[in-house]
Structure formats: C-alpha cells, structure tokens
Amino acid sequence: MTVTDATTPLSITADPVIRRRIGAVAARVALLAPVVAIYVIFFVWPVFSVLLRSLSPEGRFDAAAPVLDFANYQQLFVDDFLLRIEWRTVLLAVNSTLLTVLLAFPTAYFISRLSKRTAGLLLLLILVPFWVSIVVRLFAVTSILSPNGIVNQLSLALGFGETSLLYTQAGTLVGTVMYLLPYMVLVLYAGMTSVDDNLVLAARTLGASSVRTFFTVYLPMVRGSIVSGALLVFILGLSFFLVPAILGGPQEQTISVYIQQQIDVYQWGIASAMGILLLIATIICYIAVVKVAGSFQPGGVGPAQAKGVSTSLPFRWSPWMAVSAVASFITIAFLVIPVLFVFPLAVGETGTVVFPPRGFTLRWFGEVFTSQTWLGPIMQSIVVAVGTAVLSVGMALILARVTSRMTSTLGKAVVGGLAFAPIVTPAILLAIGIYDVELKLGLTGTTIGLILAHTIIAAPLSYALIASAMSAADRGIEAAAWTLGASRARAFWTIVVRGIMPSVVGAFAIAFVTSWDEVVLALFIQTGPTKTLPVTIYKYLESGIVPTVPAVASLLVLVVVVIVVVRSVTTRATNRRTSARQETS
Amino acid sequence: MTLSTARRIPGDDTTTGARRGEVLVSSIGLDYNGVPALADTDLHVHAGEFFTLLGPSGSGKTTLLRIIAGLLDPARGALHIDGMDVTRTPTQKRDIGFVFQNYALFPHLTVAENIEYGLKVRKIPGAKRAARVAEMVELVALGGFAERYPSQLSGGQQQRVALGRALAQNPRVLLLDEPLGALDRGLREELGAEVRRIQQESNTTAVYVTHDQEEAFILSDRMGVMRDGRICQLGTPEQLYREPKDLFVAKFLGKTNLFSGRITGLDGARATVQVGAHELTARANPAIVGDDVVCSVRPEQLILGGTEVPAGLQRISEAVVTEVRFLGQRRSIHLDAEGVACTADLDPAASVPVVGDRVSLLVRPGEIALVAAEPEHG
C-alpha cells in the first residue's frame, strides 16, 4: 500500500477513508444548515438591521446609499430629555441591584444551611414565582399597590395617610426587585452550596472566630457568585421593559419603554441607537461576568436542586442565622404573596376587581373557557408554545450533537457563546430587530413568525440542558451501539436521545414555558387581533382590568406549579439514577 | 463477592467446528496532528486465539484496537478479517464485539435489553432473540439479574453484561479495551478467568488490551508488547518473559535486575558475556547489534552463595545484603551488587541472610537474557 500524500488530501486520488470523512462533514453541514439559517435570519440579521438603522438620522437604512452617521448616538449624550431617561434607567438598575443583593444574600445563605428537604421546599417557593409569567405577577402587584389595594388600605387604617406606589419610582423599584430576586437567589445558592464545608471547619480548627471565618474564608469563596449574580441582575434591570411600562406610568419612562413608544410611531433613529447602547452595556457586563465567574450560566437553567447541608457543619441558630431567616421570610413573602394574591381576586362576585373579594363565585373561570376573548389567546399561546418547544428541542439536539463531537475547546466555546447570544441580548432590542425583519419578510402577525422569534430565545435554554446532559452521558455508549451493528441514526435515537430523555423533556418544558410567558417579542410581532395570553393580559393592564383577568392569572399560576413540580420530580429521579450508578461503579 | 462455581461444561454448545475471526493488520498507521500515534504496524491474530496487546498508557494499544473495530480510521494500511478487506467497512458492518473500558452499558435499558440490542438491530425474530438472550445471561452467570438496570449492578456484574452484550450476536472477533481496569484486584483475577472461559466457550477470537501484565499472563495465548505506537515484541507470555528482545520489554514485564556487560563470544543460541570480572553464559539475542549489552536476571533466577561457586552455577557479582523482607510466599532480599541495586527472591524456607552479609550472586548458565544496552528506538 502506498502512503497517500498528506499534503493533497482532497485530490481525486485521496484515500477513500478521507472521502468518507468528507461525507460525514457534508452530512453534518446539511443537518446544521436549518439551525444556522434560523439563527442568522432571526437573530443576526435583526441586530444588524437595528445597527444600520441607528446609523441613519432618519432611522431608515438605504442599501443604495449607505450612510455612516453618528448623529443619533450624539443625541443620546446631548439631549436633556434623553439624558434624563438614561439616568433614570441606570438609577433604577443600580437601586434594584443593591436591594436585590441585600435581600438575596441572606436568603440564599439561610437556604444553603438547611436540610435538603426544607431547602428543596423553600427553593420551590422561589422557583414557582420565578416561572409564573411576570405579567401575571405584575397584575397582582398593581392590585396590591393600587389606591384601593391592600397597601393603601393598610396605610390608611394605621393612620399613615395615602400611600399610592402605583406609577411612582418606588413602585417600579418594588416590581423590578420582585422580578430580579429569584435570579440572584438561585445564582448565590448555587455558589454557596459548592463551598466545601471542610474549608470553614479548617478555619475553625485554626482558631478563627465565626465572624472571622465568615469574612476571611466564606465570603471570598462566594465572592464570584455575588459579583456575577449582581452583574446579571444589573443587566436584566437595565433593559427591563415590562415593569417600568406597567408600574412606572408616563412620568417614569426608561430606555426600554422609550424605545417601544418610538417604534410604535415608526421613529427608528434614536430608538435604534438606544437599543445598540443597551446591547453594548450588556456585552460589557457579560464580559465582566465571564471574567469573574469563568463561565456563563443562563439563569434558571443551572442546578436549582436542593443540596442540603452536610452533617459535618450542621444547622445552628445564631443571631446571624436569625437575621438571615427574617430576610428569607421577607424574600419569600415578597415573591409568593403576589402569586397567591390572584386566587382571591379571581373568585369575587363583583364586576370590578377588588380586595378583599366580595362573595365567592367560579363564574369568571367559566367565562374564561366559554368566551372567545380568552379561548383565542389560550389556543394561540398553546400553539405557539408547542411549536417553539418542538423547534427548540430539534435545534438543540442538532447543535448539541455537533458540539459534543467537537474536539477543540475553542470551537466549543465559540458555538456556546453564539448559542447564548440571543438570551444575552436585551429583549427590547431583539424585539424591535425581529419586528423589523419580519415586517420585511411579511411574517408579522403570523403564528410561525412568533414561533420563530420565540425559538431564538428558547432554543439556547434547551440547548444548555441537552448539551450538558449529552456531555455528562457516557460518550462510549454511542460507539458501543455502533459496534453492535446499529446505524448512526439508530444509535443516536435509541441510545443517545433515549438515554437523556429526562433532559429532552426538561428542554421541551423550558422552551414551552419561555414561549408561554414571553411578552416583549410577542407584543411587537403579534399585529393580528388574536394575541397570546400574556400579551392579552398586558393589554388589559394597560386599558383596565376585567374580572376574568384574575381568573386567567390563577390558571396560569396553576400551570406553572404543575410544570415546576413535575420537573423537580423528574430531575430528582434522574439524579437518583445517576447517583446510584456512581455509587455502584 | 463470590462467583458461582457451578459452570456449564466447556464446549457443550460449540457446535461450529471452524474457528473464525482471523485478524490481519498490514502496515496500518495513524497520526494525530502529525505525530504518529501508531507507526505502520503488522499483526496477525490467528482464528480462535486469545491475543493481548500489552503496554503502558499512550503506547498506541487502544488506538490499534479501535482501528480494528472501525471506531478510528487508519491513515494508511489495510485490515482483513477472515480474509476479507474491511479497511473501509464501517464499524456497524464489521461483525465484531467490543467491550469498553467503562462498559458503556445503555443506562436506560435493562440487562436483558442491553444484550438484546444487537440482536434487534439484526432483526432476529422475537422467539429466537429471547432464547439467545437467555443463553447469554446464563453464559455470563447473571441469571436472576436480567430485568435489572445497569445502575443496580456491581462493577463486576456490569462488566459481565458488557461481555454478554458484545457476544450475543456471535461476532467474529471480540475486542476488549481494558475491561477489567475499573475493578479491584481480587475481582479482576476471577473475572479474567471468566473472560477466558467465555471466549473459549463461544469460540471467538479475542483481542485484549491491557496495561496490566498479570492479566496478560493469565489470559493470553500470545501477546504483543507495545511502546510509542509500535509493537516491540510478539510471542507467548513465557517467551516474552524469558527472552525479552529489548531493555523496555525486559523492564516492563515483571521485575528484573540489570547488569551491564560485553559480549565476548557467540556460539549459536549461546553467548558469552563479561560482567565486571566474571564470565557468564547467556541466551543469545539476535536483535542485539554491537557488543555492549545489559543482562536481565529475574529476582527468582538469582541465587545467593558464599565464596565458593558450586558446580553448575556461575557468579555474576559480589553483593552486600541491604534489606530482608518477608512477603508470604517468598522472601525478598535487597542487595547492593557493586553499586547496582538488585533484588533476589528466596524460598521462605531457605536460610535467611542478615543485613550486612557479603554474598555472591549466582546464576544458572544460559538462563539470563541479554538485551542491547540502549533501546533500539528513541
């Protein structure tokens, strides 16, 4: 056998083995092509389109006569009105981040010191509000804060006078903290449970007091989580749209709200520039996160699994612990009360929504399921969420499959970074960009248009779950199936996918919930009369509540409770199986 | 754990007379990023043979095994199984069984389903399939465990499932990649014997990769020692132990004492070698080029003597006893032989020297092996 010339592997005389390898690469490209196409059309192009518009003073990009004009950006730093909006936005983000960290740190610490059972329960109390659509929670908050809501009633009864937080800075701050708290608690909890208890014990054996141990050993160990968590919530707070839009009122515009209002009247120039500015700020913060934490974990995907305190460092009451317990109570009450609040509102007999409810009726639930006002949105939401979930899982499987075969760590990092880029991008920027592109493609107002837009933000989360399951699964089992004669396709479906079935189900669920809860993209893209549920609720929040809204809100809460419980049960089952395997091998 | 001793009588189901699974590797080579992971290698594994590739990690043994399995594509060379060129045949069509180091059992399938997988792929009808699965479960002594999941089995049991799964479709060649590596010592010996029994009973050719020489000795009909991507020496375990071709093989297989010397005469299979002031008769080694050699003397080949050299023995060196250790079946004596640290194994019943004793190190003529002073490649 002659040795093939290594320098001409692609020549016609190339070894058949090399030709086969080229075939494998071609198959991989064919699989990846639709994934890449969706990514480029619904993520790269939108961002690029907004960028181009921001460089034109009229906010219109003309390919025939491209201009490069920074007038819009200049305006952002000169115009008094715009500067006030920007300052307000930054202030809101900073304040809400500070408040969030202050509440989340003792909460996460307290939960991390509890037994596995109690910790799991408390985490569930944080996870359920986390997954309940923010629109639903905001509806509850507006009811609580409104002039005839409990806060004001309580204040009047106690003689503090009129306390109306609705449409104020304080109200916006409360709403934003409520949105950010779960993220921060989950990030901190993950960091705290990964601290080796022996380090704390070692410090004590060396004679350090508890206070000293806390500041010199424990805090440095969790500093990374604190900084990266704080940056994460800062980014979210900076570009957050819904809370300022609903709770802020017209006097409390932030960047996102301003962008939305501008696009509503087709003024793209300044709005695009603001979107790009948000993106740049976000990117800078994320680079900081990666620098601090070493990697980026999208919120909510990480292991929010109760670990339980070890026996070597058992739970013990102390003044510190008592403070933590109080803070945890506040945090959980803060998160859970709005979610529970929708139930009493839903059963009141009156035609206006009041608290406490007068009488008891299930009439509004009946009305939800009989009137087209709600059945349309429910169907629309289900269709869009299922479509998004199917598409996301499909894309995630293809992408995870390709990356799990990649040997270069750089390549993996690049693909991972690109995959997560859409969820890092400020939602408002993504929304106006996709809206822009779908207008050109004639997809606005179509179901498929919304499914594709939701897939852009849901697929990364599905990918994170499936990719981590695939990399944790034994690579050898696929090769083992080959040696037993199974074709590549058969081995992939019957062994690889079946083996990570719980994660595939989880990926489906997370994509479903992401789409089900999504408001900002849906708000822009749905131009037709029938809108998804959260958008319909949002519209009612803008125009005025009808009694069926709390009924729908409570149904949405119930759906999330069911999904979260099912998911925690399945992940527990998977964990049990893997840990059993580790124990025996 | 104890393995059941109630075994089937070997050979009661080996109805096929013709042995199959001859593997012929011709000038197969593979490079990783320009560095040869496997130098152009030739190997002939006979049908029905238990062949072991032995070598330290990174020596290319797993690479060679994976090329035979079709899990890696060679850059050069050809591979024949039973006279058929399978160089370009994908793994799926090679008709092989592969046992992975970590077993690679399908975690979501039961023991029976794992074993059944390859039969299902081959579309064997249901009844026949069930019968074969039952037969395999029996063969690997896992009766009663068929409905368990891999996570519910011990390491040794998992290993036997892997073996049963690989053998269920009656492959031509069974390839085993350090299948006992993850087990503890006692279990390893027991299961090693079991692997050998199952291979014999199923009448399959086996190519076995390991870095553990004891495993290789217990199991193999023949073995090949690998180093730096090439096979240094092929032969039966005894040949390799007694007649190492080079210094690496001598040092890699078992313990040995090395004395530098010079060849002063050659007479057919015998060579005369000068070690220090002593002249000895050793086995000739055709691989040696030049006169500078190293004499490899196994600890059990060294005999301690006084100033007199008894008839039929030759003196290799003077030595001082530095340490005496009792190790159960033998006594290990550490000595300083004129600057060379060496060990001798004594029968515990023999008279015990004391630390500080001056002794002569004696060998039987023709027993010691010679290797070239420097490894041939470097």
Side-chain angles (χ1 to χ4, degrees):
Chain A
M1 168 119 208
T2 52
V3 176
T4 32
D5 187 358
T7 55
T8 57
L10 297 177
S11 68
I12 205 73
T13 55
D15 198 293
V17 168
I18 292 165
R19 258 187 270 146
R20 200 168 87 206
R21 222 169 275 158
I22 293 168
V25 169
R28 198 179 293 179
V29 168
L31 265 178
L32 266 180
V35 176
V36 173
I38 290 176
Y39 184 83
V40 169
I41 295 173
F42 295 96
F43 176 64
V44 180
W45 186 11
V47 172
F48 204 63
S49 171
V50 174
L51 179 66
L52 290 178
R53 279 177 180 276
S54 76
L55 293 173
S56 142
E58 297 85 36
R60 259 195 315 272
F61 175 70
D62 186 2
V67 285
L68 206 67
D69 189 329
F70 289 93
N72 290 327
Y73 290 94
Q74 210 177 346
Q75 281 285 310
L76 294 184
F77 297 101
V78 179
D79 189 287
D80 260 356
F81 178 68
L82 296 180
L83 279 173
R84 263 208 306 281
I85 290 179
E86 288 152 20
W87 172 242
R88 198 179 293 134
T89 307
V90 172
L91 204 64
L92 173 68
V94 169
N95 285 342
S96 51
T97 302
L98 285 178
L99 253 175
T100 303
V101 172
L102 237 66
L103 272 177
F105 185 85
T107 307
Y109 180 72
F110 183 68
I111 298 176
S112 76
R113 304 302 325 154
L114 293 175
S115 74
K116 191 171 175 161
R117 217 185 164 73
T118 331
L121 192 72
L122 292 189
L123 279 179
L124 221 54
L125 287 180
I126 287 168
L127 275 177
V128 169
F130 180 59
W131 286 117
V132 169
S133 175
I134 184 68
V135 172
V136 169
R137 291 195 277 154
L138 283 179
F139 156 67
V141 172
T142 49
S143 296
I144 293 171
L145 298 183
S146 73
N148 52 4
I150 43 167
V151 170
N152 194 32
Q153 285 176 18
L154 213 66
S155 162
L156 286 175
L158 295 172
F160 290 127
E162 196 86 7
T163 310
S164 181
L165 292 175
L166 206 55
Y167 311 131
T168 64
Q169 261 184 1
T172 317
L173 189 60
V174 167
T176 310
V177 171
M178 187 184 74
Y179 177 70
L180 298 177
L181 255 178
Y183 287 98
M184 193 70 205
V185 173
L186 294 178
V187 169
L188 283 177
Y189 180 78
M192 286 172 176
T193 47
S194 64
V195 173
D196 185 356
D197 283 345
N198 282 339
L199 291 174
V200 174
L201 291 176
R204 290 207 189 143
T205 63
L206 295 170
S209 67
S210 332
V211 176
R212 198 192 174 100
T213 305
F214 180 82
F215 282 105
T216 58
V217 177
Y218 190 77
L219 212 50
M221 299 293 299
V222 295
R223 196 174 49 204
S225 310
I226 297 173
V227 175
S228 63
L231 281 167
L232 181 76
V233 298
F234 179 77
I235 296 164
L236 290 171
L238 201 58
S239 56
F240 197 39
F241 167 73
L242 283 169
V243 169
I246 293 172
L247 295 180
Q251 298 309 310
E252 298 297 332
Q253 269 179 344
T254 59
I255 291 182
S256 302
V257 178
Y258 179 77
I259 292 176
Q260 188 251 345
Q261 287 168 353
Q262 290 291 297
I263 301 301
D264 257 6
V265 292
Y266 291 94
Q267 293 299 314
W268 281 86
I270 300 279
S272 304
M274 269 192 168
I276 296 296
L277 189 69
L278 269 186
L279 179 66
I280 292 168
T282 305
I283 290 171
I284 291 170
C285 290
Y286 269 105
I287 290 171
V289 171
V290 173
K291 277 250 155 34
V292 171
S295 73
F296 164 64
Q297 251 291 320
V301 179
Q305 202 66 35
K307 193 170 150 248
V309 68
S310 71
T311 45
S312 61
L313 202 59
F315 180 82
R316 205 176 291 136
W317 281 106
S318 68
W320 290 70
M321 207 51 105
V323 171
S324 302
V326 170
S328 311
F329 181 77
I330 294 172
T331 302
I332 289 170
F334 192 33
L335 292 175
V336 171
I337 286 174
V339 171
L340 294 179
F341 199 72
V342 296
F343 291 101
L345 290 181
V347 297
E349 277 173 359
T350 48
T352 51
V353 178
V354 288
F355 187 87
R358 305 201 183 114
F360 180 86
T361 177
L362 294 176
R363 178 158 73 97
W364 308 119
F365 288 95
E367 211 160 282
V368 167
F369 287 110
T370 48
S371 82
Q372 199 49 40
T373 328
W374 291 108
L375 280 182
I378 290 174
M379 273 317 291
Q380 174 77 353
S381 270
I382 291 177
V383 168
V384 171
V386 169
T388 302
V390 169
L391 201 55
S392 297
V393 169
M395 283 176 62
L397 279 173
I398 292 174
L399 202 57
R401 165 60 205 225
V402 171
T403 46
S404 75
R405 292 273 137 195
M406 281 170 78
T407 42
S408 116
T409 38
L410 181 71
K412 271 187 186 173
V414 168
V415 172
L418 286 177
F420 288 124
I423 46 171
V424 169
T425 308
I428 190 77
L429 171 66
L430 208 53
I432 63 172
I434 295 180
Y435 174 63
D436 190 17
V437 166
E438 293 205 349
L439 267 181
K440 286 176 190 148
L441 298 175
L443 282 170
T444 43
T446 65
T447 307
I448 187 73
L450 184 56
I451 290 176
L452 286 164
H454 276 178
T455 301
I456 283 296
I457 53 165
L461 302 173
S462 302
Y463 169 73
L465 274 179
I466 289 179
S468 83
M470 256 193 212
S471 64
D474 179 4
R475 296 265 188 85
I477 60 172
E478 197 177 5
W482 298 343
T483 66
L484 295 171
S487 68
R488 283 174 183 254
R490 184 179 185 135
F492 184 66
W493 284 112
T494 61
I495 299 304
V496 178
V497 176
R498 281 294 315 282
I500 58 166
M501 212 48 193
S503 295
V504 174
V505 172
F508 188 91
I510 206 170
F512 185 95
V513 173
T514 303
S515 164
W516 182 260
D517 284 352
E518 208 286 327
V519 184
V520 184
L521 292 177
L523 196 60
F524 278 89
I525 292 162
Q526 293 185 105
T527 51
T530 307
K531 302 187 183 338
T532 49
L533 263 185
V535 173
T536 311
I537 298 175
Y538 175 83
K539 290 288 181 196
Y540 276 115
L541 284 177
E542 277 187 335
S543 60
I545 296 296
V546 293
T548 43
V549 171
V552 172
S554 16
L555 289 174
L556 287 177
V557 172
L558 282 179
V559 169
V560 172
V561 169
V562 169
I563 290 179
V564 167
V565 168
V566 166
R567 210 187 137 208
S568 81
V569 167
T570 53
T571 31
R572 205 170 300 163
T574 331
N575 285 5
R576 212 165 28 228
R577 206 160 74 184
T578 35
S579 65
R581 190 154 74 228
Q582 276 153 6
E583 272 161 33
T584 47
S585 61
Chain B
M1 66 167 287
T2 55
L3 282 171
S4 89
T5 46
R7 297 273 157 70
R8 292 140 54 90
I9 302 118
D12 66 350
D13 63 344
T14 52
T15 43
T16 49
R19 297 202 148 176
R20 36 184 227 138
E22 181 194 47
V23 178
L24 192 61
V25 173
S26 324
S27 323
I28 276 195
L30 179 67
D31 312 313
Y32 278 135
N33 309 326
V35 182
L38 193 65
D40 293 15
T41 299
D42 293 298
L43 176 65
H44 185 186
V45 180
H46 307 295
E49 183 177 43
F50 200 114
F51 183 85
T52 300
L53 286 168
L54 176 69
S57 55
S59 59
K61 54 194 193 310
T62 297
T63 304
L64 180 52
L65 193 77
R66 286 182 164 253
I67 287 174
I68 298 174
L71 295 172
L72 279 177
D73 288 329
R76 315 170 275 282
L79 176 72
H80 292 78
I81 297 180
D82 284 338
M84 212 196 315
D85 185 347
V86 294
T87 321
R88 320 268 175 258
T89 312
T91 305
Q92 285 87 342
K93 303 240 158 65
R94 286 197 186 185
D95 193 13
I96 47 142
F98 200 107
V99 179
F100 290 80
Q101 182 167 13
N102 60 355
Y103 322 135
L105 297 180
F106 306 136
H108 59 294
L109 301 181
T110 62
V111 168
E113 286 166 343
N114 263 283
I115 293 174
E116 196 183 19
Y117 189 85
L119 302 170
K120 259 188 171 164
V121 168
R122 285 169 178 73
K123 302 199 168 60
I124 310 282
K128 214 171 149 193
R129 209 163 65 206
R132 181 65 178 163
V133 170
E135 195 184 337
M136 290 320 297
V137 168
E138 183 74 7
L139 180 69
V140 295
L142 278 175
F145 292 91
E147 294 315 313
R148 295 221 186 160
Y149 284 93
S151 57
Q152 298 166 311
L153 300 178
S154 72
Q157 288 166 335
Q158 291 183 17
Q159 199 277 332
R160 281 182 280 157
V161 178
L163 202 57
R165 185 181 68 178
L167 285 169
Q169 42 283 332
N170 197 16
R172 294 189 292 198
V173 190
L174 180 62
L175 305 167
L176 305 105
D177 185 5
E178 309 217 16
L180 307 178
L183 304 174
D184 58 47
R185 189 160 201 85
L187 200 54
R188 210 151 66 196
E189 271 172 31
E190 269 185 278
L191 277 171
E194 192 129 341
V195 167
R196 170 87 187 170
R197 168 186 71 83
I198 292 168
Q199 180 258 343
Q200 300 275 307
E201 281 181 31
S202 57
N203 211 9
T204 316
T205 307
V207 180
Y208 187 99
V209 158
T210 184
H211 65 267
D212 184 310
Q213 41 164 317
E214 269 182 58
E215 261 171 55
F217 282 146
I218 294 169
L219 296 168
S220 323
D221 294 318
R222 279 196 315 144
M223 57 199 251
V225 175
M226 288 195 75
R227 182 199 188 188
D228 295 340
R230 56 182 85 228
I231 298 177
C232 325
Q233 197 175 356
L234 281 169
T236 63
E238 187 164 351
Q239 274 171 348
L240 263 60
Y241 186 77
R242 294 210 184 286
E243 299 162 38
K245 207 166 119 191
D246 61 28
L247 192 59
F248 173 75
V249 177
K251 275 157 68 173
F252 189 69
L253 290 181
K255 282 190 174 164
T256 194
N257 301 303
L258 301 170
F259 299 91
S260 302
R262 271 185 80 79
I263 292 183
T264 53
L266 253 176
D267 173 23
R270 294 289 161 112
T272 316
V273 61
Q274 180 89 28
V275 177
H278 312 287
E279 190 131 288
L280 298 143
T281 313
R283 239 187 237 119
N285 180 351
I288 294 175
V289 188
D291 292 338
D292 288 329
V293 291
V294 173
C295 305
S296 163
V297 190
R298 303 288 176 186
E300 68 275 12
Q301 291 174 334
L302 277 179
I303 299 159
L304 304 190
T307 43
E308 294 290 305
V309 179
L313 291 177
Q314 291 177 323
R315 182 179 300 171
I316 191 163
S317 178
E318 308 292 331
V320 179
V321 176
T322 56
E323 199 177 343
V324 177
R325 278 193 193 152
F326 176 68
L327 297 175
Q329 68 238 44
R330 62 197 166 87
R331 209 182 286 279
S332 176
I333 317 293
H334 292 237
L335 305 120
D336 178 6
E338 292 160 2
V340 181
C342 52
T343 3
D345 283 350
L346 296 187
D347 196 309
S351 63
V352 188
V354 180
V355 174
D357 278 3
R358 296 198 66 85
V359 293
S360 292
L361 295 180
L362 308 172
V363 291
R364 291 193 179 82
E367 219 180 47
I368 61 177
L370 297 184
V371 291
E374 290 294 326
E376 282 170 45
H377 39 78

